[in-house]
Amino acid sequence: MIYDHSQCIRTQVYVDGNFKNARIYTTADYLTANHIINRSLQPYSGVLVIHHVPTDPQGRDFYHEFKSAIPFMEAYVGYTTFETDSIPSYWVSSCNQMDEIWVPSKFNLETFGNAGVAKDKLYVIPHGFDPKRYAPDTTRPLNFGSKSKFTFLSVFEWTYRKGWDVLIRAFIEEFAPHENVRLLIRTYMGGGVIGPQTESVSTQFKNYIRDLGFNHNNIPTIEFIDTTIPDQLMPNLYKTADVFVLPTRGEGWGIPFTESMLMEVPVIGTKWGGQLEFMNEDNAYLIEVDKIVPVSESQVKDSPFYKGHKWAEPSVEHLRKLMRRVFKDPEEAKEKAKKARKWILDNYTIYHTAIKIAKRVEALRNSKVRPTAKCKSRKNVNLKVLFQSRSDMFTLPGGDTEVLLNLKYNLENLGCTVDYSPFHNVDLSNYDIVHIFNCHNLFAVNCAVQGKHYVLTPMYEDIQKYYVKSLLAYNTLKNICLGSTKTFSFDCKLPFFDSKLNHLSFREFEFLMENASSIIVSGTQEEMTIKRDYPSASYTNTLKLGFKKPDNSDSVSEDLFYKQYGLTDFVLCVARLETRKNQLMLLYALQDVDIPIVFINSGSTQLEYEHLCKTFKRKATTLFLGRVNKYILLSAYKAAKVHALPSWYELPGLVTLEAAWLGCNVVATDWGTISDYLGENVFYCTPNNPDSIRDAVLKAYNSAKSNNSKIILENLSWSSYAENILAIYDSVISSNSKRNTNVLNSKVRHEIRYHKLRGEAVGCVFKEPNRAIELANQLIKLKPNDPIGHYVKGTGYLLFGNYSKAISSLEQAIQLKPYLDIKVYLYLCLALLKVSENKRASAILDAAVLLFPFINSKLSSIIREYYKLAETPKSRPFNNYVPMGIGTFSAS
């Protein structure tokens, strides 16, 4: 809900692994809001508190996922709770991987410790409540139903743990229908934690009343609130009550108890569980417990978390007495309620909690002070290094993520402090050097503006060599799967595409490459590609990446995989299912080969590609296992005869190194840098040739396994890689005086103006096309071969109705970068349709479909509509036709 007094602040937010522009509505004052936002733009550091369950019943380790997604923190804390006498057994290892586990109550301190969580990791951090939200003297009650009657209120999820059966039984057995009393229940269906209930609340309630032997029409008043109560109105709901009652069987804390106490509403609750952290005989009415019993089977069915646990069985008889007592003596209850409010205000506000958190954070940070450097020959000790890379580095991890994390760990062992930031405007004053991974111009510009050296690990693939080919191959293989063609070929031609010239068209990362203090490449082919595309690039250092030997690999045998899946001596492929990894080509190459293939893969971002792979028909068994645990993965490597990864490009392909270490004969692409690592110990294939892939796999399969790769990999380590990187840092910092700052400042001003123009031009093309054309002309003057300038110019002319100029500019954009964006093709197609160039428009659509196979349904419908227009007789005018809501795209 947005209030009138909220203000809107524009900033960046982190959503699903990407930083996006957003509007944030907040009631905080402007200075405070901006302070918080600016703090969020700082490099990752400090203590990360993960408020989440550690692991789900299926074994998904959330704490591990969060640590992997945000890996540059000084310490990691799990904040969680549980309601029974123990915790799920699979939580223990997940909790013990954290630096600390915070729980809200001493009750959980005991249950977590008894279950096996290291007791020196456990600390009580109670929930904190904002006292400003709870004003019992000025808050109006909400009116529901029989408002004149004495009201017992209960708020809970309709689940057996909350003791709804105990509550209803006690109420209808204690009170007569004619008494001036009611039970008001705000509840909702949740089915515990996982499974949904099969019957509605109303049905379950009526059946329960019947089973108790009561007539539904002859019981004291029980009313249900089945509407959602907004959070800001919860104090008003509590104000409705004379007493709050909840005979729960187990709580980690019990928030409704605390909120009722803050609203000076007397509370009745069970004398067992986390609520005893703040409830006692002096400030609440505590229900005696008949006994501690196993969690019911129905609850375990809904919530597997509770399997094998025990909880309290509150006494129905004692609850009846307590409800009668407060009904007869409301003055006594009010006195308890006043004490309760004071107790919470004196001990459990957000301010008390903040103080406890601050103490723990300080203790954690002090315990994480890095040791001094171990390398005595270093010139610079305790360097502060900032890593910068793509914003989804950790939510969509790849080989670059592994490089970055392993380098961070080993640099820190050498005494460095390493932080991470995906922002291009971060303050660099506290850093000795910046290390940029992948190619991002704005990181380099920020370094130049602040006079900070940066080194670059570009992981530069020869996209011009493989990208278009990979998409053409995918479309051909898709047609084979769909039965529209039988043979594989690259006969399809694209308009405006010349692979021999394209790599010279637009040097997109010229500033980044030329101004790096050092460019660190992984092998010979990467170095040659950079020198070809950027002849004036900075000095390159060729360093082989490290190799991390898999943990526990000696303790796992191939039998584990065989027992679970019944396969051995198969072809294995470990990689995300996507066009770049080329699994569909592998399946096509081996379609008639009687050898099983096993795919182990993380989640695909190309669902159609994944579906085609899984439905591809071949002679032998094909298994798709998705993500597996590390023991199954290690066993799969050992059970396989061959690991095949015919990617379109790899630098060098870390899973190939891992497979080679564990004894597989490895098939890998000859487009990349793997040859720098394993030399002749790889069975090489050419990724665009199915026969080459087939021959390499069969040769590898029929060859004896060799230990040569393992011997080579013994000499590759991330620690030595880090030492070499550190030597580069030292050399760069020491040569600070050699930089020609005058020349650099001129280039920086040019680059800043270029990016400013680029962003403005893209941003206003639909709002102010005339201004966009003017900005595009300035942009093209600065960098004639930037396709974005020609795209903006062409789109502007299209909106103005100058179709000939639109066609010329949009064609130039495509010539410069054929895979720039599908929208460029659609705008060009529309311009061609406007001048009745239907045949050319159809060809452009064909090219768009080939180059952008994975598009959303909206774009698909636009393409279908344009095809229909292209088939329309030329005599039909399209002057009144305007672009459908295709939108624009980012120029970053």
mmCIF file of all heavy atoms in Angstrom, residues 104-134:
data_model
loop_
_atom_site.group_PDB
_atom_site.id
_atom_site.type_symbol
_atom_site.label_atom_id
_atom_site.label_comp_id
_atom_site.label_asym_id
_atom_site.label_seq_id
_atom_site.Cartn_x
_atom_site.Cartn_y
_atom_site.Cartn_z
ATOM 1 N N PRO A 104 15.711 -16.828 18.029
ATOM 2 C CA PRO A 104 15.039 -15.773 18.794
ATOM 3 C C PRO A 104 14.859 -16.064 20.274
ATOM 4 O O PRO A 104 14.540 -15.161 21.041
ATOM 5 C CB PRO A 104 13.687 -15.650 18.100
ATOM 6 C CG PRO A 104 13.449 -16.992 17.516
ATOM 7 C CD PRO A 104 14.790 -17.526 17.126
ATOM 8 N N SER A 105 15.070 -17.317 20.683
ATOM 9 C CA SER A 105 14.722 -17.659 22.065
ATOM 10 C C SER A 105 15.697 -18.675 22.657
ATOM 11 O O SER A 105 16.379 -19.412 21.943
ATOM 12 C CB SER A 105 13.302 -18.246 22.108
ATOM 13 O OG SER A 105 13.242 -19.443 21.334
ATOM 14 N N LYS A 106 15.739 -18.711 24.006
ATOM 15 C CA LYS A 106 16.560 -19.709 24.708
ATOM 16 C C LYS A 106 16.021 -21.108 24.441
ATOM 17 O O LYS A 106 16.766 -22.089 24.471
ATOM 18 C CB LYS A 106 16.574 -19.418 26.207
ATOM 19 C CG LYS A 106 17.189 -18.077 26.571
ATOM 20 C CD LYS A 106 17.196 -17.889 28.082
ATOM 21 C CE LYS A 106 17.660 -16.487 28.458
ATOM 22 N NZ LYS A 106 16.645 -15.451 28.098
ATOM 23 N N PHE A 107 14.715 -21.184 24.194
ATOM 24 C CA PHE A 107 14.106 -22.465 23.824
ATOM 25 C C PHE A 107 14.810 -23.059 22.603
ATOM 26 O O PHE A 107 15.192 -24.233 22.589
ATOM 27 C CB PHE A 107 12.617 -22.237 23.543
ATOM 28 C CG PHE A 107 11.897 -23.416 22.960
ATOM 29 C CD1 PHE A 107 11.527 -24.488 23.753
ATOM 30 C CD2 PHE A 107 11.552 -23.452 21.617
ATOM 31 C CE1 PHE A 107 10.847 -25.584 23.217
ATOM 32 C CE2 PHE A 107 10.876 -24.523 21.065
ATOM 33 C CZ PHE A 107 10.518 -25.596 21.876
ATOM 34 N N ASN A 108 15.029 -22.240 21.572
ATOM 35 C CA ASN A 108 15.722 -22.713 20.372
ATOM 36 C C ASN A 108 17.216 -22.887 20.606
ATOM 37 O O ASN A 108 17.861 -23.726 19.963
ATOM 38 C CB ASN A 108 15.489 -21.762 19.217
ATOM 39 C CG ASN A 108 14.178 -22.028 18.492
ATOM 40 O OD1 ASN A 108 13.691 -21.186 17.760
ATOM 41 N ND2 ASN A 108 13.580 -23.200 18.686
ATOM 42 N N LEU A 109 17.784 -22.106 21.485
ATOM 43 C CA LEU A 109 19.193 -22.289 21.837
ATOM 44 C C LEU A 109 19.422 -23.725 22.308
ATOM 45 O O LEU A 109 20.397 -24.380 21.931
ATOM 46 C CB LEU A 109 19.584 -21.298 22.935
ATOM 47 C CG LEU A 109 21.070 -21.067 23.185
ATOM 48 C CD1 LEU A 109 21.697 -20.303 22.037
ATOM 49 C CD2 LEU A 109 21.271 -20.295 24.489
ATOM 50 N N GLU A 110 18.473 -24.224 23.086
ATOM 51 C CA GLU A 110 18.564 -25.588 23.609
ATOM 52 C C GLU A 110 18.246 -26.624 22.546
ATOM 53 O O GLU A 110 18.986 -27.599 22.380
ATOM 54 C CB GLU A 110 17.611 -25.741 24.800
ATOM 55 C CG GLU A 110 17.639 -27.111 25.437
ATOM 56 C CD GLU A 110 16.715 -27.221 26.636
ATOM 57 O OE1 GLU A 110 16.273 -26.169 27.157
ATOM 58 O OE2 GLU A 110 16.416 -28.360 27.058
ATOM 59 N N THR A 111 17.161 -26.419 21.793
ATOM 60 C CA THR A 111 16.753 -27.443 20.827
ATOM 61 C C THR A 111 17.764 -27.560 19.676
ATOM 62 O O THR A 111 18.060 -28.664 19.222
ATOM 63 C CB THR A 111 15.359 -27.135 20.256
ATOM 64 O OG1 THR A 111 15.348 -25.820 19.670
ATOM 65 C CG2 THR A 111 14.313 -27.192 21.348
ATOM 66 N N PHE A 112 18.311 -26.432 19.212
ATOM 67 C CA PHE A 112 19.296 -26.481 18.134
ATOM 68 C C PHE A 112 20.587 -27.130 18.632
ATOM 69 O O PHE A 112 21.195 -27.940 17.931
ATOM 70 C CB PHE A 112 19.593 -25.060 17.622
ATOM 71 C CG PHE A 112 18.631 -24.551 16.589
ATOM 72 C CD1 PHE A 112 17.285 -24.401 16.884
ATOM 73 C CD2 PHE A 112 19.057 -24.218 15.313
ATOM 74 C CE1 PHE A 112 16.385 -23.927 15.946
ATOM 75 C CE2 PHE A 112 18.167 -23.739 14.355
ATOM 76 C CZ PHE A 112 16.823 -23.600 14.675
ATOM 77 N N GLY A 113 21.021 -26.760 19.848
ATOM 78 C CA GLY A 113 22.248 -27.335 20.380
ATOM 79 C C GLY A 113 22.137 -28.820 20.615
ATOM 80 O O GLY A 113 23.054 -29.589 20.292
ATOM 81 N N ASN A 114 21.006 -29.272 21.144
ATOM 82 C CA ASN A 114 20.809 -30.708 21.394
ATOM 83 C C ASN A 114 20.744 -31.511 20.098
ATOM 84 O O ASN A 114 21.057 -32.701 20.077
ATOM 85 C CB ASN A 114 19.534 -30.926 22.200
ATOM 86 C CG ASN A 114 19.649 -30.411 23.623
ATOM 87 O OD1 ASN A 114 20.755 -30.176 24.116
ATOM 88 N ND2 ASN A 114 18.522 -30.233 24.297
ATOM 89 N N ALA A 115 20.319 -30.852 19.013
ATOM 90 C CA ALA A 115 20.203 -31.550 17.726
ATOM 91 C C ALA A 115 21.546 -31.710 17.023
ATOM 92 O O ALA A 115 21.653 -32.466 16.061
ATOM 93 C CB ALA A 115 19.240 -30.801 16.825
ATOM 94 N N GLY A 116 22.592 -30.982 17.459
ATOM 95 C CA GLY A 116 23.912 -31.146 16.843
ATOM 96 C C GLY A 116 24.514 -29.887 16.267
ATOM 97 O O GLY A 116 25.638 -29.914 15.753
ATOM 98 N N VAL A 117 23.785 -28.750 16.316
ATOM 99 C CA VAL A 117 24.382 -27.498 15.863
ATOM 100 C C VAL A 117 25.434 -27.076 16.885
ATOM 101 O O VAL A 117 25.191 -27.113 18.097
ATOM 102 C CB VAL A 117 23.316 -26.393 15.708
ATOM 103 C CG1 VAL A 117 23.957 -25.073 15.308
ATOM 104 C CG2 VAL A 117 22.277 -26.815 14.682
ATOM 105 N N ALA A 118 26.616 -26.705 16.396
ATOM 106 C CA ALA A 118 27.720 -26.332 17.294
ATOM 107 C C ALA A 118 27.267 -25.239 18.254
ATOM 108 O O ALA A 118 26.810 -24.171 17.829
ATOM 109 C CB ALA A 118 28.915 -25.863 16.470
ATOM 110 N N LYS A 119 27.413 -25.510 19.556
ATOM 111 C CA LYS A 119 26.868 -24.585 20.554
ATOM 112 C C LYS A 119 27.604 -23.260 20.578
ATOM 113 O O LYS A 119 27.019 -22.236 20.962
ATOM 114 C CB LYS A 119 26.888 -25.248 21.933
ATOM 115 C CG LYS A 119 25.937 -26.441 22.005
ATOM 116 C CD LYS A 119 25.851 -27.044 23.387
ATOM 117 C CE LYS A 119 24.843 -28.200 23.403
ATOM 118 N NZ LYS A 119 24.692 -28.806 24.745
ATOM 119 N N ASP A 120 28.881 -23.263 20.150
ATOM 120 C CA ASP A 120 29.603 -21.986 20.133
ATOM 121 C C ASP A 120 29.186 -21.098 18.961
ATOM 122 O O ASP A 120 29.606 -19.947 18.863
ATOM 123 C CB ASP A 120 31.112 -22.217 20.112
ATOM 124 C CG ASP A 120 31.572 -22.990 18.872
ATOM 125 O OD1 ASP A 120 30.709 -23.535 18.141
ATOM 126 O OD2 ASP A 120 32.783 -23.055 18.631
ATOM 127 N N LYS A 121 28.344 -21.623 18.070
ATOM 128 C CA LYS A 121 27.823 -20.820 16.960
ATOM 129 C C LYS A 121 26.462 -20.213 17.286
ATOM 130 O O LYS A 121 25.972 -19.353 16.552
ATOM 131 C CB LYS A 121 27.677 -21.683 15.694
ATOM 132 C CG LYS A 121 28.977 -22.150 15.068
ATOM 133 C CD LYS A 121 28.693 -23.018 13.835
ATOM 134 C CE LYS A 121 29.972 -23.534 13.195
ATOM 135 N NZ LYS A 121 30.677 -22.499 12.439
ATOM 136 N N LEU A 122 25.818 -20.667 18.374
ATOM 137 C CA LEU A 122 24.438 -20.305 18.654
ATOM 138 C C LEU A 122 24.354 -19.080 19.566
ATOM 139 O O LEU A 122 25.014 -19.012 20.612
ATOM 140 C CB LEU A 122 23.712 -21.472 19.319
ATOM 141 C CG LEU A 122 23.377 -22.665 18.405
ATOM 142 C CD1 LEU A 122 23.007 -23.884 19.226
ATOM 143 C CD2 LEU A 122 22.237 -22.299 17.451
ATOM 144 N N TYR A 123 23.509 -18.116 19.150
ATOM 145 C CA TYR A 123 23.284 -16.912 19.949
ATOM 146 C C TYR A 123 21.806 -16.544 19.886
ATOM 147 O O TYR A 123 21.152 -16.739 18.853
ATOM 148 C CB TYR A 123 24.126 -15.740 19.434
ATOM 149 C CG TYR A 123 25.607 -15.933 19.642
ATOM 150 C CD1 TYR A 123 26.381 -16.587 18.683
ATOM 151 C CD2 TYR A 123 26.225 -15.499 20.812
ATOM 152 C CE1 TYR A 123 27.738 -16.791 18.876
ATOM 153 C CE2 TYR A 123 27.590 -15.699 21.015
ATOM 154 C CZ TYR A 123 28.335 -16.339 20.049
ATOM 155 O OH TYR A 123 29.680 -16.548 20.245
ATOM 156 N N VAL A 124 21.299 -16.018 20.997
ATOM 157 C CA VAL A 124 19.906 -15.571 21.034
ATOM 158 C C VAL A 124 19.829 -14.110 20.610
ATOM 159 O O VAL A 124 20.451 -13.240 21.229
ATOM 160 C CB VAL A 124 19.308 -15.734 22.447
ATOM 161 C CG1 VAL A 124 17.902 -15.117 22.500
ATOM 162 C CG2 VAL A 124 19.250 -17.205 22.835
ATOM 163 N N ILE A 125 19.095 -13.856 19.545
ATOM 164 C CA ILE A 125 18.765 -12.499 19.088
ATOM 165 C C ILE A 125 17.250 -12.424 19.033
ATOM 166 O O ILE A 125 16.632 -12.863 18.061
ATOM 167 C CB ILE A 125 19.378 -12.171 17.705
ATOM 168 C CG1 ILE A 125 20.893 -12.348 17.717
ATOM 169 C CG2 ILE A 125 18.981 -10.754 17.285
ATOM 170 C CD1 ILE A 125 21.641 -11.330 18.556
ATOM 171 N N PRO A 126 16.608 -11.896 20.061
ATOM 172 C CA PRO A 126 15.137 -11.880 20.092
ATOM 173 C C PRO A 126 14.553 -11.041 18.965
ATOM 174 O O PRO A 126 15.200 -10.139 18.434
ATOM 175 C CB PRO A 126 14.825 -11.257 21.463
ATOM 176 C CG PRO A 126 16.082 -11.339 22.239
ATOM 177 C CD PRO A 126 17.204 -11.282 21.247
ATOM 178 N N HIS A 127 13.310 -11.335 18.636
ATOM 179 C CA HIS A 127 12.586 -10.477 17.709
ATOM 180 C C HIS A 127 12.440 -9.095 18.336
ATOM 181 O O HIS A 127 12.297 -8.970 19.564
ATOM 182 C CB HIS A 127 11.199 -11.039 17.407
ATOM 183 C CG HIS A 127 11.220 -12.266 16.548
ATOM 184 N ND1 HIS A 127 12.244 -12.578 15.704
ATOM 185 C CD2 HIS A 127 10.302 -13.269 16.403
ATOM 186 C CE1 HIS A 127 11.982 -13.698 15.065
ATOM 187 N NE2 HIS A 127 10.810 -14.152 15.473
ATOM 188 N N GLY A 128 12.453 -8.060 17.507
ATOM 189 C CA GLY A 128 12.262 -6.703 17.997
ATOM 190 C C GLY A 128 11.036 -6.075 17.359
ATOM 191 O O GLY A 128 10.720 -6.335 16.186
ATOM 192 N N PHE A 129 10.326 -5.244 18.111
ATOM 193 C CA PHE A 129 9.079 -4.648 17.640
ATOM 194 C C PHE A 129 9.165 -3.128 17.736
ATOM 195 O O PHE A 129 9.736 -2.578 18.679
ATOM 196 C CB PHE A 129 7.907 -5.180 18.459
ATOM 197 C CG PHE A 129 7.734 -6.668 18.314
ATOM 198 C CD1 PHE A 129 8.505 -7.549 19.064
ATOM 199 C CD2 PHE A 129 6.832 -7.188 17.411
ATOM 200 C CE1 PHE A 129 8.373 -8.920 18.918
ATOM 201 C CE2 PHE A 129 6.686 -8.551 17.254
ATOM 202 C CZ PHE A 129 7.464 -9.422 18.008
ATOM 203 N N ASP A 130 8.580 -2.471 16.741
ATOM 204 C CA ASP A 130 8.613 -1.015 16.690
ATOM 205 C C ASP A 130 7.518 -0.465 17.607
ATOM 206 O O ASP A 130 6.332 -0.608 17.313
ATOM 207 C CB ASP A 130 8.379 -0.540 15.255
ATOM 208 C CG ASP A 130 8.512 0.966 15.107
ATOM 209 O OD1 ASP A 130 8.694 1.657 16.140
ATOM 210 O OD2 ASP A 130 8.430 1.457 13.979
ATOM 211 N N PRO A 131 7.896 0.172 18.723
ATOM 212 C CA PRO A 131 6.872 0.636 19.672
ATOM 213 C C PRO A 131 5.944 1.697 19.092
ATOM 214 O O PRO A 131 4.813 1.866 19.573
ATOM 215 C CB PRO A 131 7.717 1.200 20.828
ATOM 216 C CG PRO A 131 9.048 1.517 20.234
ATOM 217 C CD PRO A 131 9.257 0.502 19.159
ATOM 218 N N LYS A 132 6.389 2.397 18.040
ATOM 219 C CA LYS A 132 5.563 3.445 17.450
ATOM 220 C C LYS A 132 4.315 2.876 16.788
ATOM 221 O O LYS A 132 3.331 3.590 16.593
ATOM 222 C CB LYS A 132 6.373 4.231 16.421
ATOM 223 C CG LYS A 132 7.571 4.964 17.012
ATOM 224 C CD LYS A 132 8.390 5.625 15.905
ATOM 225 C CE LYS A 132 9.644 6.285 16.465
ATOM 226 N NZ LYS A 132 10.503 6.835 15.390
ATOM 227 N N ARG A 133 4.374 1.598 16.433
ATOM 228 C CA ARG A 133 3.232 0.995 15.730
ATOM 229 C C ARG A 133 2.095 0.632 16.685
ATOM 230 O O ARG A 133 0.972 0.397 16.245
ATOM 231 C CB ARG A 133 3.671 -0.276 14.992
ATOM 232 C CG ARG A 133 4.599 -0.052 13.820
ATOM 233 C CD ARG A 133 4.721 -1.339 13.021
ATOM 234 N NE ARG A 133 3.425 -1.731 12.504
ATOM 235 C CZ ARG A 133 3.016 -3.001 12.376
ATOM 236 N NH1 ARG A 133 3.805 -3.982 12.745
ATOM 237 N NH2 ARG A 133 1.829 -3.284 11.889
ATOM 238 N N TYR A 134 2.387 0.542 17.983
ATOM 239 C CA TYR A 134 1.408 0.007 18.920
ATOM 240 C C TYR A 134 1.037 1.084 19.945
ATOM 241 O O TYR A 134 1.803 1.369 20.878
ATOM 242 C CB TYR A 134 1.966 -1.230 19.610
ATOM 243 C CG TYR A 134 2.430 -2.279 18.624
ATOM 244 C CD1 TYR A 134 3.749 -2.318 18.200
ATOM 245 C CD2 TYR A 134 1.526 -3.195 18.093
ATOM 246 C CE1 TYR A 134 4.173 -3.270 17.278
ATOM 247 C CE2 TYR A 134 1.941 -4.144 17.171
ATOM 248 C CZ TYR A 134 3.262 -4.175 16.759
ATOM 249 O OH TYR A 134 3.671 -5.104 15.840
#
